[in-house]
Amino acid sequence: MGNDKFSTGAFGDPKEKISGPGLERTIYSAGTGALAGTFYGACVAAWYPDPVQSTGKYGAIPGRTDIRALGRTILRPAMWFSLTAGTFTAVECAMEAARNETQDPWNSLVAGMAGGAVIGMTTGRPQIMGAAAIGMGALMTAVDMSGPKTVMYEDELEYKRKGLLPKQHKESDAVAALKEQFPQHKNL
């Protein structure tokens, strides 16, 4: 891998080298997914002012939040996020080990399809699972091929973000002519 079209992103920037044991990367990704899922579940639980209640064997007291239902509301997304992130990373590490290619969009394609299939499993419908797998695989391939940069002309972006204006603004000739023609608006 060196000067082929896959070793740089879409804008010619070098790709990040990801290294480390696959198990360590997978556990880290699953943990990060669990944290993101916990945050998402907590936001879902806090979004509605109604109490989170369960029905069934452990009936809830009306008007009060049931701790088991709250736990399910928060921990279910944590489990799915963790499973999706862990599956993606585990499959990507397995692809890297099997193909001996670390900077290849095929790894991201297959891993994205596995992660998308896990996302689609939440619905229990095989058509949605297949569509989510194809969509996530395509998205992860596009992200991998584009590289870490998102703009082609970074200098122009930096000027837009942090560009300094001159201390004395220079007006165009057209504005100067209008100010001479309408002196009452000279100080605008």
Side-chain angles (χ1 to χ4, degrees):
M1 304 246 357
N3 295 328
D4 62 353
K5 64 182 178 179
F6 297 122
S7 47
T8 60
F11 305 125
D13 54 325
K15 289 188 177 181
E16 286 186 36
K17 283 274 191 199
I18 299 172
S19 61
L23 182 61
E24 183 180 314
R25 288 169 45 194
T26 302
I27 291 171
Y28 178 77
S29 292
T32 303
L35 285 174
T38 302
F39 176 75
Y40 174 78
C43 289
V44 167
W47 189 259
Y48 298 104
D50 301 334
V52 180
Q53 297 176 343
S54 63
T55 58
K57 183 177 177 184
Y58 305 103
I61 300 171
R64 296 194 59 194
T65 296
D66 182 19
I67 194 71
R68 288 190 172 127
L70 183 62
R72 275 193 307 276
T73 302
I74 293 174
L75 296 178
R76 187 173 288 146
M79 178 198 66
W80 282 112
F81 278 48
S82 177
L83 187 61
T84 301
T87 301
F88 176 85
T89 306
V91 171
E92 188 173 44
C93 289
M95 287 288 293
E96 289 173 2
R99 300 181 63 240
N100 201 19
E101 292 280 339
T102 57
Q103 299 293 319
D104 192 26
W106 289 105
N107 299 343
S108 296
L109 174 72
V110 174
M113 290 181 80
V118 170
I119 292 171
M121 282 185 349
T122 60
T123 65
R125 295 177 55 197
Q127 300 90 347
I128 302 243
M129 192 169 88
I134 291 169
M136 189 60 72
L139 176 68
M140 291 293 105
T141 302
V143 167
D144 187 47
M145 290 181 78
S146 69
K149 295 182 183 176
T150 56
V151 295
M152 185 173 287
Y153 304 110
E154 285 190 5
D155 296 337
E156 291 180 16
L157 180 65
E158 283 299 311
Y159 181 74
K160 285 180 184 177
R161 287 183 180 162
K162 303 176 189 173
L164 299 173
L165 293 174
K167 291 188 189 271
Q168 180 62 39
H169 180 71
K170 183 178 182 301
E171 295 178 339
S172 67
D173 294 334
V175 173
L178 284 171
K179 284 188 174 183
E180 285 180 17
Q181 186 176 359
F182 301 101
Q184 68 269 23
H185 302 292
K186 187 176 187 178
N187 294 326
L188 290 180

Short mmCIF file of all heavy atoms in Angstrom, two decimals, residues 68-122:
data_model
loop_
_atom_site.label_atom_id
_atom_site.label_comp_id
_atom_site.label_asym_id
_atom_site.label_seq_id
_atom_site.Cartn_x
_atom_site.Cartn_y
_atom_site.Cartn_z
N ARG A 68 -37.66 -0.80 37.17
CA ARG A 68 -37.38 -1.83 36.16
C ARG A 68 -37.66 -1.31 34.76
O ARG A 68 -36.90 -1.57 33.82
CB ARG A 68 -38.19 -3.08 36.43
CG ARG A 68 -37.69 -3.84 37.62
CD ARG A 68 -38.36 -5.19 37.70
NE ARG A 68 -37.73 -5.96 38.74
CZ ARG A 68 -38.37 -6.53 39.73
NH1 ARG A 68 -39.68 -6.44 39.80
NH2 ARG A 68 -37.72 -7.20 40.64
N ALA A 69 -38.75 -0.60 34.60
CA ALA A 69 -39.09 -0.04 33.28
C ALA A 69 -38.07 1.03 32.89
O ALA A 69 -37.66 1.12 31.73
CB ALA A 69 -40.50 0.55 33.29
N LEU A 70 -37.64 1.82 33.85
CA LEU A 70 -36.62 2.83 33.57
C LEU A 70 -35.31 2.16 33.17
O LEU A 70 -34.63 2.60 32.23
CB LEU A 70 -36.42 3.73 34.79
CG LEU A 70 -35.43 4.86 34.64
CD1 LEU A 70 -35.90 5.83 33.56
CD2 LEU A 70 -35.24 5.59 35.96
N GLY A 71 -34.96 1.08 33.86
CA GLY A 71 -33.75 0.34 33.51
C GLY A 71 -33.82 -0.22 32.09
O GLY A 71 -32.86 -0.16 31.34
N ARG A 72 -34.97 -0.76 31.73
CA ARG A 72 -35.13 -1.27 30.36
C ARG A 72 -35.04 -0.15 29.33
O ARG A 72 -34.46 -0.30 28.28
CB ARG A 72 -36.47 -2.00 30.22
CG ARG A 72 -36.43 -3.43 30.64
CD ARG A 72 -37.67 -4.16 30.18
NE ARG A 72 -38.91 -3.52 30.59
CZ ARG A 72 -39.51 -3.68 31.77
NH1 ARG A 72 -38.96 -4.46 32.67
NH2 ARG A 72 -40.63 -3.07 32.05
N THR A 73 -35.64 0.99 29.66
CA THR A 73 -35.62 2.13 28.73
C THR A 73 -34.20 2.62 28.49
O THR A 73 -33.86 3.02 27.39
CB THR A 73 -36.49 3.27 29.29
OG1 THR A 73 -37.81 2.79 29.49
CG2 THR A 73 -36.52 4.44 28.34
N ILE A 74 -33.38 2.58 29.51
CA ILE A 74 -32.00 3.07 29.37
C ILE A 74 -31.06 1.98 28.88
O ILE A 74 -30.21 2.22 28.02
CB ILE A 74 -31.52 3.65 30.72
CG1 ILE A 74 -32.31 4.92 31.04
CG2 ILE A 74 -30.03 3.95 30.68
CD1 ILE A 74 -32.03 5.50 32.39
N LEU A 75 -31.21 0.76 29.38
CA LEU A 75 -30.24 -0.29 29.07
C LEU A 75 -30.46 -0.98 27.72
O LEU A 75 -29.52 -1.52 27.15
CB LEU A 75 -30.19 -1.31 30.19
CG LEU A 75 -29.69 -0.76 31.53
CD1 LEU A 75 -29.73 -1.82 32.59
CD2 LEU A 75 -28.30 -0.18 31.38
N ARG A 76 -31.66 -0.98 27.21
CA ARG A 76 -31.89 -1.62 25.91
C ARG A 76 -31.12 -0.92 24.79
O ARG A 76 -30.41 -1.57 24.02
CB ARG A 76 -33.39 -1.68 25.60
CG ARG A 76 -33.68 -2.48 24.35
CD ARG A 76 -35.15 -2.68 24.15
NE ARG A 76 -35.64 -3.64 25.13
CZ ARG A 76 -36.85 -3.61 25.68
NH1 ARG A 76 -37.69 -2.66 25.36
NH2 ARG A 76 -37.21 -4.52 26.54
N PRO A 77 -31.19 0.43 24.67
CA PRO A 77 -30.35 1.07 23.65
C PRO A 77 -28.86 0.88 23.91
O PRO A 77 -28.07 0.76 22.97
CB PRO A 77 -30.73 2.55 23.73
CG PRO A 77 -32.01 2.60 24.44
CD PRO A 77 -32.09 1.39 25.29
N ALA A 78 -28.47 0.85 25.19
CA ALA A 78 -27.05 0.63 25.50
C ALA A 78 -26.59 -0.71 24.98
O ALA A 78 -25.50 -0.84 24.42
CB ALA A 78 -26.82 0.75 27.00
N MET A 79 -27.43 -1.73 25.12
CA MET A 79 -27.08 -3.07 24.64
C MET A 79 -26.97 -3.07 23.11
O MET A 79 -26.01 -3.60 22.56
CB MET A 79 -28.14 -4.09 25.07
CG MET A 79 -27.86 -5.48 24.56
SD MET A 79 -29.29 -6.55 24.60
CE MET A 79 -30.38 -5.83 23.42
N TRP A 80 -27.92 -2.46 22.43
CA TRP A 80 -27.90 -2.49 20.96
C TRP A 80 -26.75 -1.66 20.40
O TRP A 80 -26.09 -2.05 19.44
CB TRP A 80 -29.23 -2.01 20.39
CG TRP A 80 -30.29 -3.05 20.46
CD1 TRP A 80 -31.40 -3.02 21.25
CD2 TRP A 80 -30.33 -4.30 19.77
NE1 TRP A 80 -32.13 -4.17 21.07
CE2 TRP A 80 -31.50 -4.97 20.17
CE3 TRP A 80 -29.50 -4.91 18.85
CZ2 TRP A 80 -31.85 -6.22 19.68
CZ3 TRP A 80 -29.85 -6.16 18.36
CH2 TRP A 80 -31.01 -6.80 18.77
N PHE A 81 -26.49 -0.49 20.99
CA PHE A 81 -25.37 0.32 20.54
C PHE A 81 -24.06 -0.43 20.75
O PHE A 81 -23.18 -0.43 19.88
CB PHE A 81 -25.32 1.65 21.30
CG PHE A 81 -26.23 2.72 20.79
CD1 PHE A 81 -27.57 2.46 20.51
CD2 PHE A 81 -25.78 4.01 20.61
CE1 PHE A 81 -28.42 3.45 20.06
CE2 PHE A 81 -26.61 5.01 20.16
CZ PHE A 81 -27.93 4.73 19.89
N SER A 82 -23.92 -1.05 21.91
CA SER A 82 -22.70 -1.78 22.23
C SER A 82 -22.52 -2.97 21.28
O SER A 82 -21.42 -3.21 20.78
CB SER A 82 -22.76 -2.26 23.68
OG SER A 82 -21.63 -3.04 23.99
N LEU A 83 -23.59 -3.69 21.03
CA LEU A 83 -23.52 -4.84 20.13
C LEU A 83 -23.18 -4.41 18.70
O LEU A 83 -22.36 -5.05 18.03
CB LEU A 83 -24.86 -5.59 20.15
CG LEU A 83 -24.91 -6.90 19.40
CD1 LEU A 83 -23.91 -7.90 19.98
CD2 LEU A 83 -26.32 -7.47 19.46
N THR A 84 -23.75 -3.30 18.26
CA THR A 84 -23.46 -2.81 16.91
C THR A 84 -22.00 -2.37 16.78
O THR A 84 -21.31 -2.75 15.82
CB THR A 84 -24.39 -1.64 16.56
OG1 THR A 84 -25.74 -2.08 16.65
CG2 THR A 84 -24.12 -1.12 15.18
N ALA A 85 -21.52 -1.57 17.73
CA ALA A 85 -20.13 -1.10 17.66
C ALA A 85 -19.15 -2.26 17.80
O ALA A 85 -18.15 -2.33 17.08
CB ALA A 85 -19.88 -0.06 18.76
N GLY A 86 -19.44 -3.18 18.71
CA GLY A 86 -18.56 -4.33 18.88
C GLY A 86 -18.54 -5.23 17.66
O GLY A 86 -17.48 -5.73 17.25
N THR A 87 -19.70 -5.44 17.04
CA THR A 87 -19.76 -6.26 15.83
C THR A 87 -18.98 -5.62 14.70
O THR A 87 -18.22 -6.29 14.00
CB THR A 87 -21.23 -6.49 15.40
OG1 THR A 87 -21.92 -7.13 16.46
CG2 THR A 87 -21.32 -7.32 14.15
N PHE A 88 -19.17 -4.32 14.51
CA PHE A 88 -18.45 -3.62 13.45
C PHE A 88 -16.94 -3.77 13.64
O PHE A 88 -16.21 -4.13 12.71
CB PHE A 88 -18.83 -2.13 13.42
CG PHE A 88 -18.04 -1.33 12.43
CD1 PHE A 88 -18.43 -1.27 11.11
CD2 PHE A 88 -16.90 -0.64 12.81
CE1 PHE A 88 -17.71 -0.55 10.18
CE2 PHE A 88 -16.17 0.08 11.89
CZ PHE A 88 -16.57 0.13 10.57
N THR A 89 -16.46 -3.49 14.84
CA THR A 89 -15.03 -3.54 15.08
C THR A 89 -14.48 -4.96 14.99
O THR A 89 -13.40 -5.18 14.44
CB THR A 89 -14.70 -2.92 16.45
OG1 THR A 89 -15.27 -1.62 16.51
CG2 THR A 89 -13.21 -2.82 16.67
N ALA A 90 -15.22 -5.93 15.53
CA ALA A 90 -14.76 -7.31 15.47
C ALA A 90 -14.66 -7.81 14.04
O ALA A 90 -13.68 -8.45 13.66
CB ALA A 90 -15.69 -8.21 16.28
N VAL A 91 -15.65 -7.49 13.22
CA VAL A 91 -15.62 -7.92 11.81
C VAL A 91 -14.52 -7.19 11.06
O VAL A 91 -13.82 -7.79 10.23
CB VAL A 91 -17.00 -7.73 11.15
CG1 VAL A 91 -16.94 -7.95 9.66
CG2 VAL A 91 -18.02 -8.67 11.78
N GLU A 92 -14.34 -5.91 11.34
CA GLU A 92 -13.26 -5.17 10.67
C GLU A 92 -11.90 -5.74 11.05
O GLU A 92 -11.03 -5.91 10.19
CB GLU A 92 -13.33 -3.69 11.02
CG GLU A 92 -12.38 -2.86 10.19
CD GLU A 92 -12.57 -1.37 10.40
OE1 GLU A 92 -12.71 -0.94 11.56
OE2 GLU A 92 -12.55 -0.64 9.39
N CYS A 93 -11.70 -6.08 12.31
CA CYS A 93 -10.43 -6.68 12.74
C CYS A 93 -10.24 -8.05 12.10
O CYS A 93 -9.12 -8.40 11.70
CB CYS A 93 -10.39 -6.80 14.26
SG CYS A 93 -10.23 -5.22 15.11
N ALA A 94 -11.31 -8.83 12.01
CA ALA A 94 -11.21 -10.14 11.38
C ALA A 94 -10.87 -10.01 9.89
O ALA A 94 -10.06 -10.78 9.36
CB ALA A 94 -12.51 -10.91 11.56
N MET A 95 -11.47 -9.02 9.23
CA MET A 95 -11.15 -8.79 7.82
C MET A 95 -9.70 -8.36 7.64
O MET A 95 -9.02 -8.78 6.71
CB MET A 95 -12.09 -7.73 7.22
CG MET A 95 -13.50 -8.19 7.01
SD MET A 95 -13.64 -9.34 5.65
CE MET A 95 -13.25 -8.29 4.28
N GLU A 96 -9.23 -7.48 8.53
CA GLU A 96 -7.84 -7.04 8.45
C GLU A 96 -6.88 -8.21 8.65
O GLU A 96 -5.87 -8.33 7.96
CB GLU A 96 -7.56 -5.97 9.50
CG GLU A 96 -8.20 -4.65 9.20
CD GLU A 96 -8.05 -3.65 10.34
OE1 GLU A 96 -7.40 -3.98 11.36
OE2 GLU A 96 -8.59 -2.55 10.21
N ALA A 97 -7.21 -9.09 9.59
CA ALA A 97 -6.34 -10.24 9.85
C ALA A 97 -6.40 -11.25 8.71
O ALA A 97 -5.37 -11.80 8.32
CB ALA A 97 -6.74 -10.91 11.16
N ALA A 98 -7.57 -11.47 8.16
CA ALA A 98 -7.71 -12.46 7.10
C ALA A 98 -7.10 -11.99 5.78
O ALA A 98 -6.49 -12.78 5.05
CB ALA A 98 -9.19 -12.79 6.89
N ARG A 99 -7.23 -10.71 5.49
CA ARG A 99 -6.76 -10.19 4.20
C ARG A 99 -5.39 -9.51 4.31
O ARG A 99 -4.81 -9.14 3.30
CB ARG A 99 -7.77 -9.19 3.65
CG ARG A 99 -9.13 -9.84 3.44
CD ARG A 99 -10.16 -8.91 2.86
NE ARG A 99 -9.74 -8.49 1.54
CZ ARG A 99 -9.53 -7.22 1.20
NH1 ARG A 99 -9.71 -6.27 2.07
NH2 ARG A 99 -9.16 -6.91 -0.02
N ASN A 100 -4.91 -9.27 5.53
CA ASN A 100 -3.64 -8.60 5.77
C ASN A 100 -3.62 -7.21 5.11
O ASN A 100 -2.60 -6.78 4.58
CB ASN A 100 -2.45 -9.45 5.29
CG ASN A 100 -1.17 -9.02 5.97
OD1 ASN A 100 -1.20 -8.37 7.01
ND2 ASN A 100 -0.05 -9.37 5.37
N GLU A 101 -4.75 -6.55 5.12
CA GLU A 101 -4.89 -5.19 4.59
C GLU A 101 -5.56 -4.34 5.66
O GLU A 101 -6.69 -4.60 6.04
CB GLU A 101 -5.78 -5.20 3.34
CG GLU A 101 -5.20 -5.87 2.14
CD GLU A 101 -4.21 -4.98 1.40
OE1 GLU A 101 -4.28 -3.75 1.57
OE2 GLU A 101 -3.38 -5.52 0.68
N THR A 102 -4.86 -3.32 6.14
CA THR A 102 -5.46 -2.48 7.16
C THR A 102 -6.14 -1.25 6.59
O THR A 102 -7.01 -0.70 7.22
CB THR A 102 -4.40 -2.03 8.19
OG1 THR A 102 -3.36 -1.34 7.50
CG2 THR A 102 -3.84 -3.22 8.94
N GLN A 103 -5.74 -0.80 5.44
CA GLN A 103 -6.30 0.42 4.86
C GLN A 103 -7.06 0.08 3.58
O GLN A 103 -6.64 0.42 2.49
CB GLN A 103 -5.19 1.43 4.58
CG GLN A 103 -4.43 1.86 5.80
CD GLN A 103 -5.29 2.65 6.75
OE1 GLN A 103 -6.08 3.48 6.35
NE2 GLN A 103 -5.16 2.37 8.03
N ASP A 104 -8.16 -0.60 3.73
CA ASP A 104 -8.88 -1.07 2.56
C ASP A 104 -10.37 -0.83 2.77
O ASP A 104 -10.91 -1.15 3.82
CB ASP A 104 -8.59 -2.57 2.39
CG ASP A 104 -9.05 -3.09 1.05
OD1 ASP A 104 -9.13 -2.30 0.11
OD2 ASP A 104 -9.32 -4.29 0.96
N PRO A 105 -11.06 -0.26 1.78
CA PRO A 105 -12.50 -0.02 1.95
C PRO A 105 -13.33 -1.29 2.01
O PRO A 105 -14.46 -1.27 2.49
CB PRO A 105 -12.87 0.84 0.74
CG PRO A 105 -11.77 0.73 -0.22
CD PRO A 105 -10.55 0.33 0.54
N TRP A 106 -12.80 -2.42 1.54
CA TRP A 106 -13.55 -3.67 1.63
C TRP A 106 -13.77 -4.08 3.08
O TRP A 106 -14.81 -4.65 3.42
CB TRP A 106 -12.84 -4.79 0.86
CG TRP A 106 -12.91 -4.58 -0.61
CD1 TRP A 106 -11.89 -4.16 -1.42
CD2 TRP A 106 -14.05 -4.75 -1.46
NE1 TRP A 106 -12.33 -4.07 -2.71
CE2 TRP A 106 -13.65 -4.43 -2.77
CE3 TRP A 106 -15.36 -5.14 -1.24
CZ2 TRP A 106 -14.52 -4.48 -3.85
CZ3 TRP A 106 -16.21 -5.20 -2.32
CH2 TRP A 106 -15.80 -4.87 -3.60
N ASN A 107 -12.79 -3.81 3.92
CA ASN A 107 -12.95 -4.11 5.35
C ASN A 107 -14.12 -3.32 5.93
O ASN A 107 -14.94 -3.84 6.66
CB ASN A 107 -11.67 -3.78 6.12
CG ASN A 107 -10.49 -4.60 5.65
OD1 ASN A 107 -10.64 -5.60 4.98
ND2 ASN A 107 -9.30 -4.14 6.01
N SER A 108 -14.18 -2.04 5.58
CA SER A 108 -15.26 -1.19 6.08
C SER A 108 -16.60 -1.60 5.50
O SER A 108 -17.62 -1.52 6.18
CB SER A 108 -14.99 0.28 5.75
OG SER A 108 -13.85 0.71 6.43
N LEU A 109 -16.61 -2.04 4.26
CA LEU A 109 -17.86 -2.48 3.62
C LEU A 109 -18.44 -3.68 4.36
O LEU A 109 -19.61 -3.68 4.77
CB LEU A 109 -17.63 -2.83 2.15
CG LEU A 109 -18.83 -3.44 1.43
CD1 LEU A 109 -19.88 -2.38 1.20
CD2 LEU A 109 -18.41 -4.07 0.13
N VAL A 110 -17.62 -4.71 4.57
CA VAL A 110 -18.11 -5.93 5.21
C VAL A 110 -18.47 -5.65 6.68
O VAL A 110 -19.51 -6.09 7.18
CB VAL A 110 -17.07 -7.06 5.08
CG1 VAL A 110 -17.50 -8.28 5.87
CG2 VAL A 110 -16.86 -7.41 3.63
N ALA A 111 -17.62 -4.89 7.37
CA ALA A 111 -17.91 -4.57 8.77
C ALA A 111 -19.15 -3.69 8.89
O ALA A 111 -19.97 -3.88 9.80
CB ALA A 111 -16.71 -3.88 9.41
N GLY A 112 -19.31 -2.74 7.98
CA GLY A 112 -20.52 -1.91 7.99
C GLY A 112 -21.77 -2.72 7.72
O GLY A 112 -22.83 -2.47 8.31
N MET A 113 -21.66 -3.70 6.84
CA MET A 113 -22.81 -4.56 6.58
C MET A 113 -23.16 -5.39 7.82
O MET A 113 -24.34 -5.58 8.13
CB MET A 113 -22.55 -5.45 5.38
CG MET A 113 -22.52 -4.68 4.08
SD MET A 113 -22.24 -5.70 2.65
CE MET A 113 -23.89 -6.34 2.41
N ALA A 114 -22.16 -5.87 8.54
CA ALA A 114 -22.43 -6.63 9.77
C ALA A 114 -23.06 -5.74 10.83
O ALA A 114 -24.04 -6.12 11.48
CB ALA A 114 -21.14 -7.25 10.29
N GLY A 115 -22.52 -4.53 10.99
CA GLY A 115 -23.10 -3.59 11.95
C GLY A 115 -24.51 -3.17 11.55
O GLY A 115 -25.40 -3.05 12.39
N GLY A 116 -24.73 -2.96 10.25
CA GLY A 116 -26.07 -2.61 9.78
C GLY A 116 -27.06 -3.74 9.99
O GLY A 116 -28.23 -3.51 10.29
N ALA A 117 -26.60 -4.97 9.85
CA ALA A 117 -27.47 -6.12 10.11
C ALA A 117 -27.89 -6.17 11.57
O ALA A 117 -29.04 -6.48 11.89
CB ALA A 117 -26.78 -7.41 9.70
N VAL A 118 -26.97 -5.83 12.47
CA VAL A 118 -27.31 -5.79 13.89
C VAL A 118 -28.34 -4.69 14.15
O VAL A 118 -29.31 -4.89 14.90
CB VAL A 118 -26.05 -5.57 14.76
CG1 VAL A 118 -26.41 -5.30 16.20
CG2 VAL A 118 -25.14 -6.78 14.66
N ILE A 119 -28.16 -3.54 13.51
CA ILE A 119 -29.15 -2.47 13.66
C ILE A 119 -30.51 -2.92 13.14
O ILE A 119 -31.54 -2.68 13.74
CB ILE A 119 -28.68 -1.19 12.93
CG1 ILE A 119 -27.46 -0.61 13.62
CG2 ILE A 119 -29.79 -0.16 12.87
CD1 ILE A 119 -26.79 0.50 12.85
N GLY A 120 -30.51 -3.60 11.99
CA GLY A 120 -31.76 -4.08 11.42
C GLY A 120 -32.42 -5.18 12.23
O GLY A 120 -33.63 -5.38 12.14
N MET A 121 -31.64 -5.89 13.04
CA MET A 121 -32.21 -6.96 13.87
C MET A 121 -33.16 -6.42 14.91
O MET A 121 -34.01 -7.15 15.43
CB MET A 121 -31.10 -7.75 14.58
CG MET A 121 -30.43 -8.73 13.69
SD MET A 121 -29.20 -9.81 14.46
CE MET A 121 -28.91 -9.20 16.06
N THR A 122 -33.06 -5.14 15.24
CA THR A 122 -33.96 -4.57 16.24
C THR A 122 -35.41 -4.61 15.79
O THR A 122 -36.32 -4.62 16.61
CB THR A 122 -33.57 -3.11 16.57
OG1 THR A 122 -33.66 -2.33 15.38
CG2 THR A 122 -32.18 -3.04 17.14
#
